[in-house]
Amino acid sequence: MDIAFLTAPEGTEQIELTEPWRAVAATGDRPSLLSTRAGTVQAFRHLDRGDVFPVDGTVAEADPGEYGALVLPGGVANPDALRLDADAVAFTRSFFEAGKPVAAICHAPWLLVEAGVLDGRVLTSWPSLRTDIRNAGGTWVDVPVQVCDHGPNLLITSRRPDDLPEFTQAFTEAFATV
């Protein structure tokens, strides 16, 4: 199965991209890096520049129907930029409309807030997003990983890099059932 990873051109927390990417590849699925611009994305290790990763395609040209699931890495600047991009918002919303699983970590649920897909959902995130999630109709919980099936699709969320082992296990198990 092809799995879309969506990031902005800058600001993705590197470990929140690389660890889920490795987990997807280890299952035999095919990760694909999408962004709002062609070329490369600049990842960060908190506030310091990290590595650069090649983009496989732009979100504006991507067909959501070609992907079985979506992974949204965090980092503060990454989802903040994505939620201002109409193509990124529409692409993300399409996974919910199609009933396909979505996994989001740390600050990534900001994009879900913008996509208007959190009403009635239970999720976790970096703690500073709890008010935004509540205002969007979601219920915020403080747990390492939350799997929510109260909606059109499965939503798997996590709080921070320290929770990556639980997060990757939860979403790879969920994706295996697709």
Side-chain angles (χ1 to χ4, degrees), residues 15-16 105 126 144 158-167:
I15 197 165
E16 294 175 5
I105 186 168
W126 186 256
S158 194
R159 301 176 299 190
R160 59 180 58 99
D162 290 345
D163 300 331
L164 278 164
E166 295 97 332
F167 179 60

Side-chain angles (χ1 to χ4, degrees), residues 77-169:
N78 174 52
D80 193 46
L82 289 175
R83 66 185 176 162
L84 294 175
D85 185 280
D87 292 321
V89 173
F91 185 83
T92 300
R93 186 181 303 116
S94 72
F95 281 80
F96 287 79
E97 293 168 347
K100 296 179 182 181
V102 173
I105 186 168
C106 201
H107 288 79
W110 262 339
L111 180 55
L112 305 179
V113 168
E114 191 66 31
V117 296
L118 295 183
D119 194 35
R121 304 308 294 263
V122 178
L123 64 154
T124 193
S125 68
W126 186 256
S128 65
L129 275 66
R130 70 178 161 256
T131 300
D132 297 321
I133 289 167
R134 288 176 182 149
N135 288 342
T139 299
W140 186 84
V141 294
D142 188 11
V143 295
V145 66
Q146 178 66 37
V147 178
C148 178
D149 60 2
H150 298 95
N153 69 329
L154 203 57
L155 176 60
I156 304 99
T157 53
S158 194
R159 301 176 299 190
R160 59 180 58 99
D162 290 345
D163 300 331
L164 278 164
E166 295 97 332
F167 179 60
T168 56
Q169 180 179 347

